[in-house]
Amino acid sequence: MNKLSTAGTFSLGDRTVTRIGYGAMQLAGPGVFGPPKDRAAALAVLREAVASGVDHIDTSDFYGPHITNQLIREALHPYPQQLTIVTKVGAVRGDDASWLPAQSPAELTQAVHDNLRNLGVEVLDVVNLRVMLDAYKPSEGSIEAQFSALAELQQRGLIRHLGISNATAAQVQEARGIAKVVCVQNHYNLAHRGDDALIDALGRDGIAYVPFFPLGGFSPLQSDSLSSIAHELGVTPMQVALAWLLARAPNILLIPGTSSVAHLRENLAAAELSLSDDVLAALDRIGQKAG
């Protein structure tokens, strides 16, 4: 049993994964654009993650673009049988590194084929639709056409499982009416608690919730409070934030990202960090503090 097993497991469709995975976004260059500054270091992080027991990697072909998936293939192909690679579609990168919607059925189909080619697989384990009605936060609006296009690709055997990202609760429900949803990936952390009800509802239905930006959106006061608690525990603020997420709900899967082996090891160590009831209560109060 590896140390990550301490955090338990959860299902992504017919795949069972440990609850701490790895997010590959930071392996590309600055601004998630272009090649990494140190290609050998990026490959080393991927190999260390899998060697440490990570069996769930989050990526996208618009990271780079193409760079991150190509790194994953170079580092890990042929992939271990237990490794689940989750990707996302719905955006492309402009020449100026901008993030542009790519949501038509033709664009989504092209994105799936780009992911297949760059990852070197015949079937994608999980594909998340990144909703781009607002690139930076969930925004209401129908996603029927987009999700139906991915459901058709699933029926053709190119995708095993579907998920949705940057989505509202209504969009999650709409997607579930089209095809089975195995995961929802949104911005959520100690200080950003808008999806509390959605997490609990998904958990009751056996659907994974995958939060990103574990330390994103904190006010200075909230950051100071978290740092103080981390100092008392003798760990890093990121480790506390990750451990709180693990304690928050059993259907939460983590995908902390880094381009450093040392930082990767710190993040994965959060699996073994047990937080007392008093500490959890103090952490919950952080989300209630005004910015």
Side-chain angles (χ1 to χ4, degrees):
M1 178 181 293
N2 63 64
K3 294 180 179 179
L4 294 187
S5 300
T6 308
T9 61
F10 199 75
S11 296
L12 283 171
D14 62 356
R15 310 281 289 184
T16 298
V17 298
T18 54
R19 293 181 61 209
I20 298 189
Y22 171 71
M25 183 177 184
Q26 294 184 32
L27 293 183
V32 201
F33 197 73
K37 293 180 180 179
D38 188 336
R39 188 177 188 88
L43 297 173
V45 168
L46 286 163
R47 290 169 179 149
E48 176 69 19
V50 172
S52 299
V54 166
D55 57 11
H56 166 211
I57 292 178
D58 180 84
T59 186
S60 174
D61 211 57
F62 54 72
Y63 295 163
H66 314 307
I67 298 295
T68 297
N69 279 352
Q70 291 167 359
L71 289 168
I72 290 171
R73 180 176 184 174
E74 181 177 346
L76 302 175
H77 196 278
Y79 302 114
Q81 185 176 0
Q82 73 275 14
L83 181 64
T84 297
I85 298 177
V86 179
T87 190
K88 65 187 70 64
V89 296
V92 293
R93 305 302 296 279
D95 293 339
D96 59 353
S98 56
W99 304 80
L100 306 172
Q103 301 263 306
S104 72
E107 289 169 320
L108 294 171
T109 299
Q110 181 63 53
V112 166
H113 283 284
D114 287 345
N115 276 277
L116 289 166
R117 182 183 66 255
N118 286 313
L119 287 170
V121 296
E122 295 182 354
V123 185
L124 297 170
D125 293 328
V126 185
V127 174
N128 284 318
L129 171 67
R130 170 74 182 196
V131 181
M132 292 288 286
L133 296 171
D134 184 319
Y136 301 102
K137 64 180 186 297
S139 180
E140 294 293 357
S142 176
I143 49 84
E144 180 181 1
Q146 299 95 313
F147 210 76
S148 294
L150 292 181
E152 182 179 343
L153 293 171
Q154 182 184 38
Q155 291 167 5
R156 288 169 49 190
L158 299 180
I159 301 169
R160 288 193 178 91
H161 302 294
L162 295 174
I164 191 166
S165 176
N166 196 41
T168 67
Q171 287 162 346
V172 172
Q173 192 64 29
E174 184 179 27
R176 294 181 65 187
I178 297 168
K180 181 178 180 180
V181 171
V182 303
C183 57
V184 175
Q185 187 181 106
N186 278 355
H187 180 192
Y188 178 85
N189 58 36
L190 265 172
H192 195 277
R193 303 284 299 273
D195 274 357
D196 272 334
L198 178 60
I199 290 170
D200 294 338
L202 293 173
R204 289 191 291 270
D205 290 339
I207 299 173
Y209 184 92
V210 188
F212 54 79
F213 298 148
L215 294 178
F218 279 60
S219 70
L221 177 60
Q222 291 166 332
S223 293
D224 287 347
S225 297
L226 177 61
S227 295
S228 176
I229 291 171
H231 179 73
E232 291 176 9
L233 296 175
V235 296
T236 69
M238 176 66 110
Q239 287 172 321
V240 175
L242 294 174
W244 178 84
L245 285 166
L246 289 173
R248 167 62 185 82
N251 62 315
I252 286 181
L253 300 179
L254 304 185
I255 50 168
T258 180
S259 58
S260 156
V261 168
H263 190 202
L264 170 73
R265 291 170 177 161
E266 282 188 359
N267 289 342
L268 298 184
E272 299 179 280
L273 179 56
S274 179
L275 303 177
S276 69
D277 290 343
D278 287 346
V279 169
L280 288 171
L283 290 169
D284 282 334
R285 288 193 291 273
I286 289 178
Q288 301 166 4
K289 292 183 178 180

